Amino acid sequence: MTSHQQPATTHQSSTPSSRERASGWARIAALSAGVAAGLASVVGAGLIAVPAAVLHETGSGAVLTWLVAALACLPMIMLFRDTVVGSARSADPLRATIRAGLGPRAAAMVPLMFAMVVVVGLPSGAVMAARNLTAIMQVPVSEIALAALLLGVAVAINLRGRTLGSAIERSGAVVLVAALIGVVTWSLLHPTRSPDVLPDGPALALVPAGALIAFWAFIGFENLTFLARELPDPRRDFAPVAMTTLALLLALVLALTLAVVVQTAQADPVTGVVDAVRSTPWGGVVAGVLAASGLLGMALNAVAWTRGVGAVISAAAADGILPRTFAAAPDATPRRAVLLLSAGFTVSLTILLVRPDLVVDMLGAASGVFVLIYIMCIVAYVRTAGLRVWSVANLLLVPLMAWTLISSGSRAIFPVAVLLVAAVIAVIRTKTGSLPDDR
């Protein structure tokens, strides 16, 4: 009987139990939700337009340009990973990193800057996506009304709680990826020319400038740090989730690039992708699917960023950086913070209703605020981590980021104003005793 029992014992130890299998599937589901949140944090109105802009800038060097831009994202992702590893359960790991490297006043500026930039960036992106849809479909619908509906839905979803938001992101990400794959496949099945994706000498010289454009298509991974607490194990899971998201985004932009180059040698920097798919059979329908995909991507972006920044505002209020009325329990829905953001959305949409020509300037201004936040994060990271591989790699990005801000001209006024306002508020909160001053 002993000899009979031994194989049974061995077999039992080598076979996963139902509980282990269940936990394994739960982990996969949680990680997929993290990837969906990462994708939603990065995609937006620019997903459809930027591939054409990069192709127009670099020609046959477009594919190489996207690969270079993706590599340029790695240092920032590693920075974000280390912030999460250092404060995995914090609602704002970036603030914790800046606090360690630059002090409490600088750290107090971060949630203020994110709040001010998201109420400008999301409405501007929503109007741009709505404008693309109405132009492509040629329907007499107010772009402001469509953008307001998009943001209103994002706010309503977040007021219901993060569970609904996460579910929307998962299903929306699947629909978005499937739609883009369908559009790209249709274009590749109906080519009009052989694609030219091997860069020649002149194209190689254009890669650095093109990579700078392409790099900003990947803005948004910092929002994943705000949502890291939703992962099963933030310290362990953040890096694979972020890297998977980056790989998926790279695959999408490369596919959209190929969809253009098989149709034309000269892409319009704004409408190039739409023009390419419109030239295929049933082009109007395909272009409509593409435009709807852009609007869906912007909607997912609004859901993810409203949830992430809402959590940042709530945590900042709990710590005395903002009025405590906006604070919520750690695992509760930050409804007052979300409503505060919705008020900001309303102001920006009102401005765009009066001055619709400002949409590009507002998008550029919002990008400038991200540049300043990135620079603050990098400097703090270098001061805390020292001169290591990833800190040095991030440090090398600072001159490029500063150059993009300086070259933006008058659009840099808003980022500088946001920085100054955040600094003044942080100083006032410190002097009034609302914010501990432990420099």
Side-chain angles (χ1 to χ4, degrees), residues 286-302:
V286 181
V289 171
L290 183 65
S293 298
L295 194 66
L296 173 60
M298 190 62 230
L300 294 176
N301 191 255

Side-chain angles (χ1 to χ4, degrees), residues 341-353:
L341 292 175
S342 68
F345 297 157
T346 302
V347 173
S348 293
L349 287 175
T350 302
I351 293 173
L352 289 172
L353 178 63

Side-chain angles (χ1 to χ4, degrees), residues 248-272:
L248 180 58
L249 286 166
L250 179 61
L252 289 176
V253 293
L254 287 177
L256 288 169
T257 299
L258 290 176
V260 178
V261 297
V262 298
Q263 302 297 336
T264 180
Q266 298 292 331
D268 185 275
V270 177
T271 63

Side-chain angles (χ1 to χ4, degrees), residues 27-329:
R27 173 171 162 75
I28 291 173
L31 291 180
S32 66
V35 172
L39 181 65
S41 296
V42 180
V43 298
L47 178 65
I48 307 302
V50 175
V54 171
L55 188 60
H56 179 269
E57 183 75 21
T58 62
S60 61
V63 171
L64 178 60
T65 299
W66 280 112
L67 294 174
V68 171
L71 288 175
C73 290
L74 291 180
M76 293 299 297
I77 289 179
M78 292 301 103
L79 184 158
F80 296 146
R81 178 205 62 183
D82 289 346
T83 64
V84 170
V85 169
S87 52
R89 293 299 172 183
S90 171
D92 193 348
L94 292 183
R95 175 156 61 96
T97 296
I98 292 179
R99 183 183 182 89
L102 300 179
R105 287 184 179 176
M109 295 167 59
V110 175
L112 298 168
M113 293 175 72
F114 272 118
M116 285 186 278
V117 69
V118 79
V119 298
V120 173
L122 286 183
S124 303
V127 169
M128 182 67 75
R131 182 174 296 179
N132 290 339
L133 180 66
T134 55
I136 293 170
M137 300 299 293
Q138 297 180 349
V139 291
V141 178
S142 168
E143 60 188 36
I144 297 295
L146 192 56
L149 176 63
L150 186 154
L151 293 174
V153 169
V155 168
I157 289 172
N158 281 287
L159 289 175
R160 291 291 303 273
R162 72 182 188 185
T163 301
L164 178 61
S166 180
I168 293 293
E169 288 164 0
R170 284 198 301 270
S171 57
V174 171
V175 172
L176 175 64
V177 172
L180 291 178
I181 290 175
V183 168
V184 170
T185 301
W186 186 257
S187 180
L188 295 178
L189 289 175
H190 300 87
T192 59
R193 61 186 297 272
S194 298
D196 184 13
V197 294
L198 296 177
D200 51 21
L204 285 174
L206 299 173
V207 167
L212 200 60
I213 299 173
F215 178 77
W216 297 112
F218 296 120
I219 286 180
F221 280 103
E222 63 276 16
N223 190 57
L224 193 55
T225 67
F226 308 150
L227 305 177
R229 291 189 300 172
E230 300 176 11
L231 298 173
D233 185 342
R235 289 185 174 88
R236 177 186 60 184
D237 298 335
F238 182 88
V241 164
M243 295 299 292
T244 302
T245 303
L246 178 63
L248 180 58
L249 286 166
L250 179 61
L252 289 176
V253 293
L254 287 177
L256 288 169
T257 299
L258 290 176
V260 178
V261 297
V262 298
Q263 302 297 336
T264 180
Q266 298 292 331
D268 185 275
V270 177
T271 63
V273 179
V274 176
D275 294 340
V277 300
R278 196 187 289 278
S279 66
T280 63
W282 297 89
V285 175
V286 181
V289 171
L290 183 65
S293 298
L295 194 66
L296 173 60
M298 190 62 230
L300 294 176
N301 191 255
V303 171
W305 272 96
T306 301
R307 186 163 92 257
V309 176
V312 166
I313 292 173
S314 176
D319 292 339
I321 298 172
L322 292 172
R324 295 188 185 277
T325 185
F326 297 112

